[in-house]
């Protein structure tokens, strides 16, 4: 153990597997995506969420002394010229390379470093990890405090944590950039770490791909070039022949500048806006992801079901857009992040999904709905192994007709297919219906259809009764509510047009949600029956969700109910539903199981999982058993109009370091934003919030006056 081992993080190894005993870091599959506190770091970027500063790194491989890589970070974060700040995901060929890099970075800024702790493999001298910190870290011991040496330690938290990974490279695992002291270049020059700096570390960062990309393995946020190819060294209209066009974002002239200008402008007005950029080995723009703080906060309420809309990418639109879409408490589509991808390969999807998951604090959705794409399916298995991956049923049905030639014109075929997919309520019914359809139309040797059938558990409703969809898929006619940009983005829409519409569309979506909130809170829906369930939920659900539930209540009298089985408190009922009044030939049977002891109820139609509210069959059984109110577990908070939703980042812990001004700002800013959100609910709320702000400001100024 090296210097500072008494405070070191311990690394244990059991049968070759390292177990790191650390605080509450979120580490996602060792893929270089890491969230620590309020600081967002990603494998290829040095971006920070929840701070007002914007990180800019000019990627210029032909820099000279006057035109070096520039780093500009506000809010107390270090600035450098030749050496970019460390970020999680950086990789080095050796420990010495990593140490020398951090030492050079520190010397350039004006502070010195030391090894706070390091650890080795059990029963071996092979180094496995280390923590390098600012030499102002910690405080003197009691023994040292009695010495005459000047106190230089300030409890500074700036540090990097290094770990040896499977590729036998050293990866930056944790980064803290903030210092709580001023830099002293003269003193730093004479510090022990800089005096020992070897000749390799002393040289400037070479402007080569090997040093910039291979050794450090840092994909950085670049100042995009006006030509549109993501490489600052490109000349007007000139592209290197060695660059593989398939491995970079296909942009028109000037598009990269449009992207950069848009991100810069948004981040100035919305400090919590985050964008992540992926560069290929040649330094060209490959993939892009962005998200704002409201979307991240909304995910906390509506992140159970997320659709990945790849319409633009799969249909070769002018812009290769991918959107993450959810549904809010009004059943309205909401945006949960966007990306631009170079291609629809496994690698691109993995980068995008990991970027998105990192911004969502590593919390995976319950259900992910996507188009039918092998690469995306593999990427989801890699990044979201616990999520239910389902396919857009409407897309599956559309592609099914497109691949069946003349049969798509057959009304008989369409009727049989729709009945098999949408109306069967049991697995054996679906499989028998599918087999009959295959034999009747001679499709046994249709390879594509056979492949689709093998994946039926991902798209056929009868197999998905245990999957929660929050009303995103109706499963009645294949309708799908995942498109956020429908009607706004077309095949020929340019990137400039898209970003011009983007803000307006997002603002319109949020305005619509605010209007719906007011209407749901201030109005009372018109009741259509005397059923108490209808009255109960009219007071709880938002207007749109209540209207959907109301359709179920209205149909309750259309049934006959029979008890068919009993096993203690669990009773099974058969509900006979008549599709049309007086039509005895069109009757469907639905089984409903009711547990009186546990107040649980479940219908074979699985309306609750599909839509988030109980079906008419369950309501009929509850009414039959004299249950006057719908059990609380079947009234989801995601649909309630009285549920408090504050679209601000999570407040986190109230335990702050009272000596750290950066934490003061972060804590006060979050609390102030909470008051702002509450103050926007109504005019009365606004008046109270504004008065509170004025009173608080006056009190703070009085404190300041006392110290004058």
């Amino acid at each position: 153990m090296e210097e500072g081992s008494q405070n070191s993080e311990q690394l244990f190894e059991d049968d070759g597997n390292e177990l790191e005993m650390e605080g509450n870091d979120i580490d996602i599959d060792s893929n270089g995506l890491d969230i620590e506190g309020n600081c967002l770091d990603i494998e290829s970027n040095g971006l920070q969420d929840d701070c007002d500063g914007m990180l800019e790194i000019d990627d210029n491989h032909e820099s000279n002394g006057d035109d070096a890589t520039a780093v500009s970070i506000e809010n107390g974060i270090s600035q450098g010229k030749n050496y970019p700040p460390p970020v999680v995901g950086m990789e080095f060929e050796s420990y010495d390379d990593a140490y020398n890099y951090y030492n050079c970075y520190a010397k350039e800024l004006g502070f010195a470093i030391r090894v706070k702790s390091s650890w080795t493999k059990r029963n071996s001298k092979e180094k496995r990890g280390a923590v390098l910190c600012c030499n102002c870290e910690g405080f003197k011991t009691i023994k040292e405090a009695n010495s005459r040496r000047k106190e230089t330690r300030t409890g500074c938290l700036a540090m990097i944590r290094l770990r040896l990974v499977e590729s036998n490279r050293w990866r930056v695992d944790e980064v803290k950039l903030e210092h709580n002291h001023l830099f002293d270049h003269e003193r730093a020059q004479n510090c022990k770490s800089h005096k020992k700096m070897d000749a390799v570390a002393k040289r400037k960062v070479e402007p080569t791909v090997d040093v910039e990309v291979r050794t450090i393995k840092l994909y950085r946020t670049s100042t995009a070039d006006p030509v549109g190819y993501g490489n600052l060294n490109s000349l007007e209209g000139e592209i290197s022949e060695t660059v593989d066009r398939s491995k970079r974002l296909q942009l028109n002239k000037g598009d990269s500048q449009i992207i950069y200008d848009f991100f810069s402008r948004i981040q100035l007005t919305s400090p919590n806006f985050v964008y992540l950029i992926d560069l290929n080995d040649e330094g060209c723009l490959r993939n892009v992801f962005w998200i704002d703080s409201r979307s991240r906060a909304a995910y906390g309420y509506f992140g159970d079901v997320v659709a990945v809309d790849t319409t633009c990418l799969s249909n070769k639109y002018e812009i290769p857009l991918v959107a993450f879409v959810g549904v809010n408490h009004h059943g309205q589509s909401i945006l949960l992040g966007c990306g631009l991808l170079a291609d629809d390969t496994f690698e691109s999807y993995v980068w995008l999904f990991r970027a998105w998951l990192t911004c969502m604090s590593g919390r995976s959705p319950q259900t992910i709905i996507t188009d039918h794409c092998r690469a995306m399916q593999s990427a989801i298995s890699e990044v979201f192994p616990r999520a239910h991956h389902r396919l857009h049923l409407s897309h599956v049905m559309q592609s099914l007709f497109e691949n069946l030639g003349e049969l798509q014109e057959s009304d008989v075929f369409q009727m049989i297919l729709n009945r098999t997919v949408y109306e069967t309520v049991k697995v054996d019914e679906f499989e028998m219906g599918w087999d009959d359809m295959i034999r009747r139309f001679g499709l046994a040797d249709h390879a594509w259809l056979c492949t689709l059938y093998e994946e039926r558990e991902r798209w056929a409703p009868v197999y998905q009764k245990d999957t929660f969809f929050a009303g995103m898929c109706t499963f009645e006619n294949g309708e799908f509510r995942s498109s956020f940009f429908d009607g706004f983005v077309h095949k020929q829409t340019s990137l400039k047009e898209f970003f011009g519409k983007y803000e307006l569309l997002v603002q319109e979506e949020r305005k619509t949600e605010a209007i719906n909130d007011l209407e749901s809170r201030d109005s009372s829906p018109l009741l259509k029956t005397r059923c108490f369930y209808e009255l109960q939920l009219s007071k709880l659900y938002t207007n749109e969700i209540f209207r959907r539930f109301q359709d179920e209540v209205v149909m309750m009298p259309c049934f006959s109910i029979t008890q068919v089985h009993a096993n203690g408190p669990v009773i099974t009922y058969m509900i006979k539903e008549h599709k049309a009044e007086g039509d005895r030939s069109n009757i469907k049977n639905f089984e409903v199981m009711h547990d009186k002891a546990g107040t649980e109820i479940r219908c074979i139609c699985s309306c609750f999982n599909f839509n988030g509210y109980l079906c008419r069959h369950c309501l009929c059984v509850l009414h039959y058993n004299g249950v006057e109110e719908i059990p609380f577990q079947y009234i989801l908070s995601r649909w309630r109009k009285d549920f408090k939703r504050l679209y601000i980042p999570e407040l986190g812990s109230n335990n702050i370091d009272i000596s750290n001004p950066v934490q003061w700002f972060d804590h006060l800013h979050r609390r102030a934003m909470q008051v702002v959100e509450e103050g926007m609910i109504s005019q009365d709320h606004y008046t109270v919030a504004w008065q509170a702000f004025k009173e608080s400001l006056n009190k703070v100024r009085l404190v300041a006056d006392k110290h004058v």
Side-chain angles (χ1 to χ4, degrees), residues 4 94 138 298 308 328 346 385 389 463 514 663:
S94 67
V308 182
N328 67 6
F346 169 78
H389 179 207
Y463 293 96
Q663 291 193 29

Side-chain angles (χ1 to χ4, degrees), residues 525-531 534 546-547 550-551 553-554:
L526 181 64
L527 302 182
K528 297 181 179 180
T529 72
R530 295 182 179 181
C531 178
E534 184 185 16
F546 173 72
R547 280 192 285 269
Q550 194 175 44
D551 291 339
V553 177
V554 170

Side-chain angles (χ1 to χ4, degrees), residues 193 261 694:
S193 66
D261 290 345
K694 288 194 295 184

Side-chain angles (χ1 to χ4, degrees), residues 445-461:
D445 297 327
H446 198 291
W448 184 87
L449 203 59
C450 291
T451 302
L452 185 66
Y453 179 72
E454 290 175 359
E455 295 189 315
R456 60 194 180 279
E457 294 184 7
R458 293 190 185 275
W459 57 266

